[in-house]
Amino acid sequence: MAVWDDLVGQDRVASQLTAAARDADALVTAEAAGGGRAAARNAAEASPASSALAASPASSASSKMTHAWLFTGPPGSGRAAAARAFAAALQCVSPDRALGGAPGCGFCEGCHTTLVGTHADVEVVRTDLLSIGVKETRDLVRRAQLSPAGGRWQVIVLEDADRLTEGAGNVLLKAVEEPAPRTVWMLCAPSLEDVLPTIRSRCRLLTLRTPPVDAVADLLVRRDGIEPELAASAARATQGHIDRARRLATDERARARRAAVLKLPLRVDDVGGCLKAAQELIDAAAEDAKQVAEEIDAKETEELRAALGAAAGTGGRLPRGTAGAMKDLQDRQKRRATRTQRDSLDLALTDLAGFYRDVLALQFGSRTALANTDVQDALERIAAGSRPERTLRRIEAVRACREALDRNVAPLLAVEAMTMALRAG
């Protein structure tokens, strides 16, 4: 299985990355065969990949390989999957390469360890907090200055580049401007606007599209062993969002929460119903955060206590001077709970916007496939009882709520304002 097999509906991107991996492989192979700087100079003259690594994308537009990449695309398009697949192709050591095969076999040690997250020269950074700060970014920049320990490239995959603070972005800029030899940065973000202009101008851009629903369903069946009917339903309900489709197909609680959200449009007939529905949405998001905390926080706390010499069975008292480390962990866990709650709430709002999108399709008589066929009776009832302009205002209310949450408006106030707007139409 090639590393690109899970890159659903992104044939153009996979082709570009395969070509870049070929050039990168040619450069490293030439350096190894020549045995040093002389070989590197010869490779630089013969291979477009090396010139790309020595110059900015603007000065090496014809090169297939460069030192910094920016993967953008809508949520669920597979940005992080594309970056990890590319990282695996760069580390590929398959003997088939010498016979003309493309890097990225998916079976060799380089590919396998990269895909499972254990390769020593591939750092995959994702955050469960609200932002990535200066300290974490400086640690990454120091890591990027190291030579590969055993692999072919030093690869840094930053899955949440849109969560870099301004200060962290400025720290990263220097590393992207002046990359270390054989170091490749891969940044992932929903759009160009989510990354500092100074950084994105130094990266090669790859834009992914929303995968086709049928392709996502096929992936769930092939990769995760999900029943075809359930896979098709999950892919259709999430409109091609790969991760959400998988969660919906494998988690009964996720399906129950979605079903509750899709009942909300029928419950906002009066002010009391609006306020009650808003509170239930907030409570459901808080419950999600609590479940994550129960699964992770206790383990993290016990591991830290053990590292500080206060594990269970040793009396339980923290050694003097270590209380600060425990407080830092608790603060980080609180920030993670906040993000988990916001992510869960945003997911519910996305489902709600999808409901009204289906209503609008019915009102216009569109032939577009409905995402929420499991609640078609509710869709038809709402569509028959209102006009398209009211539906558009309701979609706008959902969007405004999501933007308010991004601006740190109190969640309950934002959701109550939305439900009142849904009632007004």
Side-chain angles (χ1 to χ4, degrees), residues 47 132 140 149 157 166 211 242 344 358 360-361 406-407 409 412:
S47 170
I132 300 174
L140 279 182
V157 179
E166 185 176 354
I242 300 171
S344 177
D358 284 350
L360 194 64
D406 284 341
R407 296 194 301 269
V409 173
L412 183 57

Side-chain angles (χ1 to χ4, degrees), residues 1 9 13 15 20 25 39 61 67 71-72 101 109 116 137 139 145 175 224 228 234 252 281 284 326 344 351:
M1 180 182 72
V13 169
S15 176
D25 180 63
H67 68 282
F71 296 80
T72 66
E109 182 181 4
V116 300
T137 307
D139 291 341
Q145 299 302 313
D224 301 307
E252 182 64 35
L281 270 184
M326 187 62 67
S344 177
D351 287 334

Side-chain angles (χ1 to χ4, degrees), residues 305 310-317:
R305 292 181 66 87
T314 61
R317 289 178 62 90

Side-chain angles (χ1 to χ4, degrees), residues 75-131:
S77 57
R79 300 184 303 262
R84 289 193 297 268
F86 186 32
L90 293 180
Q91 304 291 8
C92 183
V93 292
S94 168
D96 292 343
R97 294 172 298 114
L99 303 176
C105 65
F107 295 101
C108 71
E109 182 181 4
C111 289
H112 177 71
T113 54
T114 298
L115 294 176
V116 300
T118 58
H119 198 292
D121 295 314
V122 178
E123 181 78 6
V124 178
V125 182
R126 63 179 69 88
T127 182
D128 50 13
L129 305 180
L130 295 175
S131 62

Side-chain angles (χ1 to χ4, degrees), residues 300-347:
E300 285 183 342
T301 300
E302 185 57 36
E303 288 176 350
L304 180 58
R305 292 181 66 87
L308 297 176
T314 61
R317 289 178 62 90
L318 288 171
R320 182 176 299 177
T322 61
M326 187 62 67
K327 186 177 186 305
D328 288 343
L329 175 62
Q330 292 169 350
D331 290 342
R332 188 164 66 249
Q333 290 172 343
K334 289 178 182 178
R335 293 195 299 271
R336 180 172 60 210
T338 299
R339 176 178 172 180
T340 302
Q341 183 173 355
R342 289 187 183 180
D343 287 349
S344 177
L345 191 54
D346 188 71
L347 181 58

Side-chain angles (χ1 to χ4, degrees), residues 207-288:
T207 301
L208 285 75
R209 66 185 182 114
T210 299
V213 170
D214 291 343
V216 174
D218 178 69
L219 176 68
L220 295 178
V221 172
R222 171 170 49 85
R223 184 188 65 184
D224 301 307
I226 296 170
E227 290 295 326
E229 185 176 348
L230 179 57
S233 174
R236 184 172 59 250
T238 58
Q239 289 296 284
H241 191 302
I242 300 171
D243 293 336
R244 285 182 54 207
R246 183 179 185 278
R247 183 183 181 191
L248 197 62
T250 58
D251 188 347
E252 182 64 35
R253 292 178 303 181
R255 293 195 290 273
R257 283 193 292 270
R258 174 177 172 273
V261 168
L262 297 183
K263 292 177 182 177
L264 185 146
L266 300 176
R267 301 175 54 203
V268 292
D269 292 335
D270 55 56
V271 173
C274 291
L275 299 181
K276 184 178 180 181
Q279 186 63 63
E280 289 177 358
L281 270 184
I282 297 298
D283 291 343
E287 183 63 26
D288 269 355

